[in-house]
Amino acid sequence: MLILEKPFSNENFIKVNSIEEIKNTPSNTTIIFQYNDKLIDTFVFCKNNNIPYGVIINSVKELIFITNLNAKYAFTDSLQKAEIFQKTAENYLLDTKIIFLADSLEKIEVLVKYRIDGIKVKDEK
């Protein structure tokens, strides 16, 4: 299981909403988006420029879309959705990792039961 928090990971995350904001982020950053159909071109931009990114999603359709656009992570704060997304990822051998957004790392034992790829603590913003 991936733990996307220090000291377990050195990955830095920043939430953005546009290509212009991406251009102003440090090069060693993983971008996070809230899914929106209007951002498809932005996801294509990330794919074409090899920019690692993840998307907070709400449906299997969104998971399939972002996976086809090389998203590194699919985030959700719903355990029920995380379980569905994980089964979909395993069934289709998707490269995108399913990450549960938790209030704390205490959820790890619950996530292990559902074989979720990883955990990240929600930003307080």
Side-chain angles (χ1 to χ4, degrees):
M1 170 182 281
L2 297 170
I3 303 174
L4 299 179
E5 295 295 327
K6 294 187 182 347
F8 306 102
S9 171
N10 290 325
E11 199 162 359
N12 294 312
F13 296 89
I14 187 166
K15 194 169 182 180
V16 301
N17 296 306
S18 69
I19 292 173
E20 198 56 44
E21 288 181 49
I22 293 169
K23 292 177 181 176
N24 294 320
T25 61
S27 61
N28 63 339
T29 302
T30 299
I31 307 297
I32 298 178
F33 299 99
Q34 177 71 49
Y35 186 88
N36 183 322
D37 284 333
K38 294 176 183 173
L39 290 175
I40 295 287
D41 288 339
T42 306
F43 304 155
V44 171
F45 174 85
C46 289
K47 176 184 176 184
N48 292 342
N49 289 283
N50 297 314
I51 298 169
Y53 74 101
V55 184
I56 301 167
I57 61 170
N58 289 303
S59 71
V60 172
K61 176 193 92 166
E62 293 170 1
L63 173 62
I64 300 302
F65 283 3
I66 68 166
T67 297
N68 277 274
L69 294 172
N70 292 359
K72 186 173 182 179
Y73 302 117
F75 297 100
T76 183
D77 62 0
S78 163
L79 187 55
Q80 181 181 13
K81 289 179 183 179
E83 183 180 15
I84 293 166
F85 298 159
Q86 189 66 55
K87 287 179 180 177
T88 303
E90 290 170 8
N91 188 54
Y92 289 102
L93 302 173
L94 304 180
D95 292 330
T96 301
K97 298 295 183 192
I98 308 304
I99 306 297
F100 184 75
L101 293 172
D103 293 325
S104 73
L105 294 180
E106 297 303 314
K107 286 277 191 189
I108 286 177
E109 292 194 30
V110 173
L111 297 176
V112 167
K113 292 178 187 176
Y114 294 101
R115 302 172 72 189
I116 306 302
D117 287 328
I119 186 171
K120 179 172 182 351
V121 175
K122 291 180 190 178
D123 287 334
E124 295 178 11
K125 301 174 194 173

